[in-house]
Amino acid sequence: AKAAAEAGEKLRAAEARAAEAEGKLRAAEAKAEEEKQRRAAAAGKSPAAWYSEGIARKNEKKWPEAIAAFQNCVALNPSHSDAWFKLGVVLNEHNGAKSSEAQIEAYQRCLALDPSCGRRAAANGNLGNLLRDARKDYDGAIEMYRKATAL
């Protein structure tokens, strides 16, 4: 009983440390997002200009520059569903087709903003692949594949 009580205390302490770390992570992410928005605004470009810049860099296969441009576009206009889609695409290219959480977020934001967008099948299919590969979320992947093929 004593060992179980000690184990319970250790578990609660570990959970408290994890919650504190998660809070610090969220604060750091918020600060980074604010900094990204500030940098994008300071550059004096419009979301449309950043989007065009992203397309140009994507076509040149300059992945880091394309990523930065699309990130600046969505920092200034978080409702730009096409920029979210393209961000997912260039993140994939930059990562050598390795799945990442950033790609998942990009496709989720694209679909949430414009579920009827012309790229819906591709976004759902890509998101299905990412859920399968990055998160091992096979049920979520199947749901995305069904949405992609139902179009």
Side-chain angles (χ1 to χ4, degrees):
K2 184 177 177 182
E6 288 177 3
E9 286 180 26
K10 286 181 181 181
L11 176 62
R12 283 187 288 283
E15 289 172 338
R17 287 192 304 276
E20 181 182 344
E22 185 174 345
K24 287 179 182 179
L25 175 63
R26 300 262 182 255
E29 288 173 338
K31 185 176 179 180
E33 183 64 29
E34 289 172 9
E35 177 62 19
K36 184 169 44 170
Q37 288 180 8
R38 185 199 63 74
R39 281 194 318 262
K45 288 185 180 180
S46 69
W50 280 118
Y51 184 78
S52 294
E53 174 87 9
I55 295 294
R57 298 299 79 81
K58 174 190 173 292
N59 291 340
E60 296 168 355
K61 299 185 186 313
K62 294 183 177 178
W63 309 125
E65 293 89 345
I67 291 167
F70 289 125
Q71 286 174 332
N72 286 333
C73 177
V74 298
L76 291 171
N77 181 3
S79 298
H80 199 305
S81 66
D82 285 339
W84 282 110
F85 179 84
K86 292 292 188 188
L87 179 57
V89 170
V90 297
L91 284 165
N92 182 63
E93 294 294 336
H94 179 67
N95 292 336
K98 292 181 183 140
S99 301
S100 72
E101 288 296 318
Q103 292 167 270
I104 292 172
E105 178 190 5
Y107 290 123
Q108 286 176 331
R109 297 286 294 267
C110 168
L111 291 165
L113 289 166
D114 190 5
S116 63
C117 75
R119 295 184 176 98
R120 185 172 58 167
N124 278 310
N126 292 350
L127 185 54
N129 293 339
L130 292 163
L131 291 173
R132 179 194 67 209
D133 297 340
R135 292 188 181 166
K136 306 299 183 212
D137 177 2
Y138 302 111
D139 291 337
I142 290 169
E143 179 184 345
M144 291 301 109
Y145 296 144
R146 284 188 177 138
K147 287 181 179 182
T149 58
L151 303 176

